[in-house]
Amino acid sequence: MMDYLSLSPEIKTAIEEEKPVVALESTIIAHGMPYPQNVKTALDVEAMVRVNGAIPATIALINGKMKVGLSADEIDQLGRLGEQFIKTSRRDIPLLLATQGNGATTVASTMIIAKMAGIKFFVTGGIGGVHHAAQETMDISADLQELAKTNVAVISAGAKSILDLKLTLEYLETHGVPVYGFGTAEFPAFYTRKSGLGVDARIDDIRLLAKAIKTKWEIGLTGGILIANPIPEKYEVAFDYINQAIEEAIKVSQQKGIKGKAITPFLLGYIKDITKGESLRANIQLVLNNAQLGAKLARAYYS
Ligand code: PSU
Ligand code: MN
Protein backbone atom coordinates (compact mmCIF):
# COMPACT_ATOMS: atom_id res chain seq x y z
CA MET A 1 0.00 0.00 0.00
CA MET A 2 2.81 2.36 0.87
CA ASP A 3 3.93 2.32 -2.76
CA TYR A 4 0.61 3.73 -3.85
CA LEU A 5 -0.20 6.05 -0.97
CA SER A 6 1.70 9.33 -0.87
CA LEU A 7 1.27 11.83 1.96
CA SER A 8 2.72 15.33 1.80
CA PRO A 9 5.28 15.91 4.58
CA GLU A 10 2.95 18.37 6.30
CA ILE A 11 0.06 15.91 6.36
CA LYS A 12 2.26 13.01 7.47
CA THR A 13 3.51 14.97 10.48
CA ALA A 14 0.06 16.33 11.31
CA ILE A 15 -1.44 12.84 11.38
CA GLU A 16 1.38 11.45 13.48
CA GLU A 17 0.92 14.30 15.96
CA GLU A 18 -2.88 13.86 16.00
CA LYS A 19 -3.49 17.35 14.71
CA PRO A 20 -6.88 18.10 13.14
CA VAL A 21 -6.68 17.32 9.41
CA VAL A 22 -9.56 17.79 6.97
CA ALA A 23 -9.67 15.86 3.70
CA LEU A 24 -11.04 17.52 0.54
CA GLU A 25 -12.19 15.82 -2.66
CA SER A 26 -11.06 16.55 -6.21
CA THR A 27 -14.05 15.63 -8.40
CA ILE A 28 -15.66 18.89 -7.37
CA ILE A 29 -12.56 20.71 -8.70
CA ALA A 30 -11.97 18.75 -11.90
CA HIS A 31 -15.57 18.02 -12.88
CA GLY A 32 -17.77 20.24 -10.75
CA MET A 33 -16.68 23.78 -11.61
CA PRO A 34 -15.19 25.63 -14.59
CA TYR A 35 -11.57 26.81 -14.69
CA PRO A 36 -10.34 29.11 -13.20
CA GLN A 37 -13.07 29.38 -10.53
CA ASN A 38 -12.41 25.75 -9.59
CA VAL A 39 -8.77 26.40 -8.71
CA LYS A 40 -9.58 29.57 -6.82
CA THR A 41 -12.32 27.77 -4.88
CA ALA A 42 -10.06 24.84 -4.03
CA LEU A 43 -7.41 27.20 -2.68
CA ASP A 44 -9.97 29.33 -0.83
CA VAL A 45 -11.43 26.22 0.78
CA GLU A 46 -7.97 25.16 1.95
CA ALA A 47 -7.41 28.66 3.36
CA MET A 48 -10.76 28.50 5.15
CA VAL A 49 -9.75 25.23 6.80
CA ARG A 50 -6.48 26.79 7.95
CA VAL A 51 -8.07 29.99 9.28
CA ASN A 52 -10.26 27.76 11.41
CA GLY A 53 -7.34 25.92 12.91
CA ALA A 54 -7.13 22.69 10.92
CA ILE A 55 -4.89 21.40 8.12
CA PRO A 56 -6.38 20.80 4.66
CA ALA A 57 -5.51 17.70 2.65
CA THR A 58 -6.84 17.75 -0.90
CA ILE A 59 -6.83 14.23 -2.33
CA ALA A 60 -6.45 13.01 -5.93
CA LEU A 61 -4.75 10.27 -7.95
CA ILE A 62 -1.69 11.71 -9.65
CA ASN A 63 0.59 9.62 -11.87
CA GLY A 64 -0.62 6.43 -10.29
CA LYS A 65 -0.32 7.55 -6.66
CA MET A 66 -3.06 8.26 -4.14
CA LYS A 67 -1.87 11.72 -3.12
CA VAL A 68 -2.97 13.20 0.18
CA GLY A 69 -2.18 16.90 0.51
CA LEU A 70 -1.78 18.39 -2.97
CA SER A 71 0.54 21.33 -3.58
CA ALA A 72 -0.83 24.59 -5.03
CA ASP A 73 0.75 23.60 -8.35
CA GLU A 74 -0.98 20.22 -8.31
CA ILE A 75 -4.31 21.88 -7.54
CA ASP A 76 -3.74 24.24 -10.44
CA GLN A 77 -3.02 21.31 -12.75
CA LEU A 78 -6.09 19.45 -11.54
CA GLY A 79 -8.24 22.50 -12.24
CA ARG A 80 -6.71 23.22 -15.66
CA LEU A 81 -6.83 19.66 -16.92
CA GLY A 82 -10.32 19.19 -15.48
CA GLU A 83 -12.05 16.23 -17.06
CA GLN A 84 -8.74 14.71 -18.17
CA PHE A 85 -8.62 13.61 -14.55
CA ILE A 86 -10.90 10.59 -14.68
CA LYS A 87 -13.79 10.59 -12.26
CA THR A 88 -12.65 7.93 -9.82
CA SER A 89 -14.95 6.09 -7.46
CA ARG A 90 -14.10 2.92 -5.47
CA ARG A 91 -14.08 0.55 -8.44
CA ASP A 92 -11.93 2.80 -10.62
CA ILE A 93 -8.97 3.07 -8.23
CA PRO A 94 -7.07 -0.17 -9.01
CA LEU A 95 -6.73 0.24 -12.76
CA LEU A 96 -5.84 3.92 -12.49
CA LEU A 97 -3.02 3.09 -10.09
CA ALA A 98 -1.87 0.18 -12.23
CA THR A 99 -1.66 2.44 -15.29
CA GLN A 100 -0.09 5.49 -13.57
CA GLY A 101 -3.25 7.44 -14.32
CA ASN A 102 -4.66 10.71 -13.04
CA GLY A 103 -7.98 10.59 -11.22
CA ALA A 104 -10.33 12.99 -9.51
CA THR A 105 -11.71 11.39 -6.37
CA THR A 106 -15.42 11.24 -5.53
CA VAL A 107 -16.86 11.17 -2.04
CA ALA A 108 -16.45 7.38 -1.94
CA SER A 109 -12.83 7.26 -3.05
CA THR A 110 -11.84 10.31 -1.01
CA MET A 111 -13.23 8.55 2.08
CA ILE A 112 -11.26 5.41 1.24
CA ILE A 113 -7.98 7.27 0.81
CA ALA A 114 -8.58 9.52 3.85
CA LYS A 115 -9.10 6.38 5.94
CA MET A 116 -5.89 4.81 4.60
CA ALA A 117 -4.01 7.97 5.55
CA GLY A 118 -5.59 8.19 9.01
CA ILE A 119 -7.83 11.22 8.39
CA LYS A 120 -11.23 11.21 10.07
CA PHE A 121 -12.91 14.34 8.66
CA PHE A 122 -13.79 15.15 5.08
CA VAL A 123 -15.45 18.26 3.71
CA THR A 124 -17.38 18.22 0.46
CA GLY A 125 -20.33 19.98 -1.21
CA GLY A 126 -22.95 17.33 -1.82
CA ILE A 127 -22.86 13.55 -1.67
CA GLY A 128 -24.04 11.11 -4.30
CA GLY A 129 -27.13 9.04 -3.50
CA VAL A 130 -30.12 7.13 -4.80
CA HIS A 131 -31.21 8.44 -8.19
CA HIS A 132 -34.80 9.03 -9.23
CA ALA A 133 -36.29 5.87 -10.76
CA ALA A 134 -33.65 3.78 -8.98
CA GLN A 135 -36.39 1.17 -8.53
CA GLU A 136 -35.77 0.39 -12.20
CA THR A 137 -32.25 1.58 -12.91
CA MET A 138 -30.66 0.45 -9.60
CA ASP A 139 -28.53 3.59 -9.83
CA ILE A 140 -27.30 4.14 -6.31
CA SER A 141 -24.04 6.03 -5.81
CA ALA A 142 -21.10 4.12 -4.34
CA ASP A 143 -20.85 7.06 -1.93
CA LEU A 144 -23.64 5.52 0.15
CA GLN A 145 -21.90 2.14 0.45
CA GLU A 146 -18.78 3.94 1.55
CA LEU A 147 -20.65 5.90 4.20
CA ALA A 148 -21.99 2.57 5.41
CA LYS A 149 -18.58 1.03 5.98
CA THR A 150 -15.71 3.53 6.13
CA ASN A 151 -14.91 5.42 9.33
CA VAL A 152 -14.84 8.99 8.08
CA ALA A 153 -17.16 11.85 9.04
CA VAL A 154 -18.40 13.69 5.95
CA ILE A 155 -19.48 17.33 6.14
CA SER A 156 -21.85 18.23 3.31
CA ALA A 157 -24.67 20.62 2.45
CA GLY A 158 -26.91 17.57 2.05
CA ALA A 159 -27.46 16.39 -1.50
CA LYS A 160 -28.92 17.88 -4.65
CA SER A 161 -32.43 16.98 -5.62
CA ILE A 162 -31.01 15.49 -8.82
CA LEU A 163 -31.33 12.54 -6.44
CA ASP A 164 -34.32 10.98 -4.76
CA LEU A 165 -33.53 12.43 -1.36
CA LYS A 166 -36.19 10.42 0.41
CA LEU A 167 -34.75 7.13 -0.83
CA THR A 168 -31.23 8.36 -0.16
CA LEU A 169 -32.12 8.94 3.49
CA GLU A 170 -33.85 5.55 3.68
CA TYR A 171 -30.72 3.87 2.37
CA LEU A 172 -28.56 5.64 4.94
CA GLU A 173 -30.93 4.59 7.69
CA THR A 174 -30.86 0.95 6.59
CA HIS A 175 -27.07 1.00 6.65
CA GLY A 176 -26.87 2.63 10.04
CA VAL A 177 -25.32 5.91 8.96
CA PRO A 178 -26.17 8.73 11.37
CA VAL A 179 -27.34 11.87 9.59
CA TYR A 180 -26.90 14.88 11.84
CA GLY A 181 -28.30 18.27 10.88
CA PHE A 182 -26.04 21.04 12.08
CA GLY A 183 -28.43 23.71 13.34
CA THR A 184 -31.29 22.20 11.38
CA ALA A 185 -33.91 19.48 11.76
CA GLU A 186 -34.37 19.36 8.01
CA PHE A 187 -32.10 17.64 5.51
CA PRO A 188 -30.77 20.41 3.25
CA ALA A 189 -30.91 20.05 -0.52
CA PHE A 190 -27.57 21.66 -1.37
CA TYR A 191 -28.80 24.86 -3.10
CA THR A 192 -31.67 25.21 -0.64
CA ARG A 193 -31.88 24.86 3.14
CA LYS A 194 -35.10 22.91 2.86
CA SER A 195 -36.06 19.58 1.32
CA GLY A 196 -39.17 18.70 3.28
CA LEU A 197 -37.31 15.72 4.80
CA GLY A 198 -35.98 15.31 8.32
CA VAL A 199 -32.55 14.34 9.65
CA ASP A 200 -32.01 11.81 12.47
CA ALA A 201 -31.10 14.50 14.93
CA ARG A 202 -30.50 18.20 15.00
CA ILE A 203 -27.24 19.10 16.76
CA ASP A 204 -26.33 22.74 17.39
CA ASP A 205 -23.20 22.27 19.48
CA ILE A 206 -19.97 21.35 17.70
CA ARG A 207 -18.56 19.65 20.80
CA LEU A 208 -21.60 17.39 21.02
CA LEU A 209 -21.24 16.59 17.33
CA ALA A 210 -17.58 15.63 17.90
CA LYS A 211 -18.57 13.53 20.92
CA ALA A 212 -21.26 11.64 19.01
CA ILE A 213 -18.76 10.82 16.25
CA LYS A 214 -16.12 9.73 18.74
CA THR A 215 -18.64 7.59 20.59
CA LYS A 216 -19.71 5.79 17.43
CA TRP A 217 -16.18 4.68 16.67
CA GLU A 218 -15.19 4.04 20.28
CA ILE A 219 -17.87 1.40 20.65
CA GLY A 220 -16.83 -0.22 17.39
CA LEU A 221 -19.70 0.79 15.14
CA THR A 222 -17.90 0.99 11.83
CA GLY A 223 -18.91 3.35 9.07
CA GLY A 224 -19.23 7.01 8.39
CA ILE A 225 -21.31 9.84 9.73
CA LEU A 226 -23.05 12.34 7.49
CA ILE A 227 -23.20 15.90 8.74
CA ALA A 228 -25.71 18.04 6.86
CA ASN A 229 -24.81 21.71 7.04
CA PRO A 230 -27.30 23.96 5.23
CA ILE A 231 -26.15 26.66 2.83
CA PRO A 232 -26.18 30.11 4.50
CA GLU A 233 -29.52 31.82 3.89
CA LYS A 234 -28.12 34.72 1.92
CA TYR A 235 -26.61 32.39 -0.69
CA GLU A 236 -29.63 30.12 -1.11
CA VAL A 237 -31.02 29.69 -4.63
CA ALA A 238 -34.78 30.11 -5.09
CA PHE A 239 -36.44 26.73 -4.50
CA ASP A 240 -38.71 26.68 -7.58
CA TYR A 241 -36.07 28.08 -9.90
CA ILE A 242 -33.46 25.46 -9.06
CA ASN A 243 -35.92 22.59 -9.00
CA GLN A 244 -37.20 23.49 -12.45
CA ALA A 245 -33.64 23.42 -13.72
CA ILE A 246 -33.08 20.04 -12.09
CA GLU A 247 -36.28 18.59 -13.55
CA GLU A 248 -35.29 19.75 -17.00
CA ALA A 249 -31.81 18.24 -16.58
CA ILE A 250 -33.28 14.88 -15.57
CA LYS A 251 -35.69 14.90 -18.50
CA VAL A 252 -32.92 15.64 -21.00
CA SER A 253 -30.69 12.94 -19.47
CA GLN A 254 -33.49 10.40 -19.94
CA GLN A 255 -34.10 11.49 -23.55
CA LYS A 256 -30.40 11.12 -24.27
CA GLY A 257 -30.28 7.75 -22.51
CA ILE A 258 -27.38 8.74 -20.27
CA LYS A 259 -26.47 6.04 -17.76
CA GLY A 260 -23.98 4.83 -15.19
CA LYS A 261 -21.13 6.99 -14.00
CA ALA A 262 -21.89 9.62 -16.67
CA ILE A 263 -25.25 10.58 -15.23
CA THR A 264 -24.19 12.63 -12.20
CA PRO A 265 -21.64 14.73 -14.16
CA PHE A 266 -24.22 15.24 -16.92
CA LEU A 267 -26.87 16.50 -14.52
CA LEU A 268 -24.43 18.73 -12.65
CA GLY A 269 -23.09 20.19 -15.90
CA TYR A 270 -26.54 20.81 -17.33
CA ILE A 271 -27.73 22.62 -14.20
CA LYS A 272 -24.55 24.65 -14.09
CA ASP A 273 -25.02 25.72 -17.71
CA ILE A 274 -28.66 26.72 -17.53
CA THR A 275 -28.46 28.48 -14.17
CA LYS A 276 -25.11 30.09 -15.04
CA GLY A 277 -23.45 32.14 -12.34
CA GLU A 278 -26.08 31.73 -9.69
CA SER A 279 -25.67 28.04 -8.97
CA LEU A 280 -21.89 28.31 -9.15
CA ARG A 281 -21.87 31.13 -6.62
CA ALA A 282 -24.06 29.11 -4.25
CA ASN A 283 -21.87 26.05 -4.74
CA ILE A 284 -18.71 27.96 -3.82
CA GLN A 285 -20.27 29.52 -0.74
CA LEU A 286 -21.69 26.31 0.64
CA VAL A 287 -18.35 24.52 0.32
CA LEU A 288 -16.62 27.35 2.16
CA ASN A 289 -19.28 27.13 4.85
CA ASN A 290 -18.68 23.39 5.13
CA ALA A 291 -14.92 23.93 5.33
CA GLN A 292 -15.41 26.20 8.30
CA LEU A 293 -17.58 23.65 10.12
CA GLY A 294 -15.32 20.73 9.21
CA ALA A 295 -12.24 22.47 10.57
CA LYS A 296 -13.97 23.43 13.82
CA LEU A 297 -15.35 19.94 14.20
CA ALA A 298 -11.96 18.32 13.65
CA ARG A 299 -10.48 20.68 16.23
CA ALA A 300 -13.19 19.83 18.76
CA TYR A 301 -12.57 16.11 18.13
CA TYR A 302 -8.84 16.33 18.84
CA SER A 303 -9.04 18.77 21.78
N1 PSU B 1 -23.10 15.71 -6.27
C1 PSU B 1 -22.88 17.03 -6.23
N2 PSU B 1 -21.63 17.49 -6.56
C2 PSU B 1 -20.63 16.65 -6.91
C3 PSU B 1 -20.88 15.25 -6.94
C4 PSU B 1 -22.12 14.83 -6.62
O1 PSU B 1 -23.76 17.80 -5.90
O2 PSU B 1 -19.51 17.12 -7.20
C5 PSU B 1 -19.77 14.32 -7.27
C6 PSU B 1 -19.08 13.88 -5.97
O3 PSU B 1 -17.70 13.67 -6.21
C7 PSU B 1 -19.78 12.57 -5.69
C8 PSU B 1 -19.97 12.01 -7.08
O4 PSU B 1 -19.05 11.71 -4.86
O5 PSU B 1 -20.29 13.14 -7.87
C9 PSU B 1 -21.04 10.96 -7.13
O6 PSU B 1 -21.07 10.38 -8.39
P1 PSU B 1 -21.93 9.05 -8.65
O7 PSU B 1 -23.36 9.47 -8.50
O8 PSU B 1 -21.60 8.63 -10.03
O9 PSU B 1 -21.50 8.05 -7.61
MN1 MN C 1 -24.47 6.00 -10.35
Side-chain angles (χ1 to χ4, degrees):
M1 180 155 102
M2 268 355 221
D3 284 351
Y4 293 112
L5 184 64
S6 165
L7 276 59
S8 73
E10 184 192 21
I11 297 302
K12 190 167 182 292
T13 309
I15 291 166
E16 280 165 7
E17 295 176 355
E18 301 212 320
K19 298 237 173 77
V21 178
V22 171
L24 300 162
E25 66 153 302
S26 44
T27 293
I28 192 169
I29 307 170
H31 295 259
M33 291 181 191
Y35 180 82
Q37 287 98 326
N38 57 358
V39 171
K40 181 174 188 305
T41 303
L43 297 173
D44 288 350
V45 167
E46 289 210 338
M48 181 66 100
V49 169
R50 285 192 197 277
V51 166
N52 287 281
I55 299 154
T58 301
I59 292 177
L61 304 194
I62 297 184
N63 297 327
K65 300 260 191 233
M66 298 181 280
K67 280 215 139 186
V68 181
L70 300 193
S71 66
D73 276 353
E74 286 168 328
I75 288 178
D76 189 70
Q77 204 189 21
L78 179 71
R80 273 178 200 277
L81 295 179
E83 284 163 22
Q84 288 179 49
F85 273 71
I86 293 165
K87 179 184 160 194
T88 306
S89 195
R90 170 178 271 268
R91 71 169 181 184
D92 308 298
I93 297 173
L95 188 57
L96 263 162
L97 296 183
T99 55
Q100 280 85 48
N102 291 323
T105 52
T106 63
V107 169
S109 55
T110 306
M111 285 180 78
I112 292 168
I113 297 167
K115 172 77 189 345
M116 285 178 186
I119 301 173
K120 296 185 165 72
F121 294 89
F122 162 30
V123 163
T124 185
I127 62 158
V130 180
H131 283 264
H132 295 286
Q135 300 90 321
E136 281 167 36
T137 63
M138 286 183 72
D139 190 346
I140 300 173
S141 172
D143 293 354
L144 297 186
Q145 278 287 327
E146 217 53 59
L147 279 161
K149 64 186 167 208
T150 299
N151 293 16
V152 173
V154 179
I155 296 94
S156 71
K160 291 193 177 103
S161 48
I162 59 169
L163 302 169
D164 187 322
L165 297 182
K166 189 163 185 292
L167 296 188
T168 300
L169 290 169
E170 291 292 350
Y171 189 103
L172 291 168
E173 181 181 349
T174 300
H175 290 270
V177 179
V179 180
Y180 298 136
F182 182 66
T184 181
E186 197 161 324
F187 187 71
F190 197 90
Y191 295 116
T192 59
R193 296 172 63 85
K194 300 250 141 85
S195 67
L197 301 162
V199 289
D200 306 345
R202 170 180 175 155
I203 299 183
D204 294 348
D205 174 11
I206 291 181
R207 280 166 312 171
L208 177 57
L209 202 48
K211 190 175 176 190
I213 293 166
K214 194 171 264 179
T215 304
K216 181 181 192 229
W217 293 332
E218 258 173 18
I219 61 171
L221 293 182
T222 52
I225 294 100
L226 182 63
I227 293 122
N229 186 31
I231 182 173
E233 234 164 287
K234 62 176 166 184
Y235 299 115
E236 250 188 312
V237 182
F239 190 87
D240 290 338
Y241 171 70
I242 197 68
N243 284 308
Q244 262 166 32
I246 289 171
E247 261 173 49
E248 187 182 320
I250 292 170
K251 210 162 75 193
V252 174
S253 76
Q254 286 165 347
Q255 283 161 357
K256 292 189 179 228
I258 293 165
K259 289 190 199 73
K261 72 185 272 186
I263 185 120
T264 298
F266 176 84
L267 295 173
L268 298 179
Y270 194 93
I271 293 159
K272 189 174 68 191
D273 289 347
I274 62 171
T275 62
K276 302 242 168 43
E278 200 180 344
S279 68
L280 180 60
R281 193 173 86 116
N283 200 340
I284 292 168
Q285 292 301 329
L286 67 84
V287 180
L288 287 168
N289 188 50
N290 293 343
Q292 186 172 18
L293 176 60
K296 289 181 179 170
L297 182 56
R299 263 178 57 200
Y301 184 94
Y302 286 103
S303 67

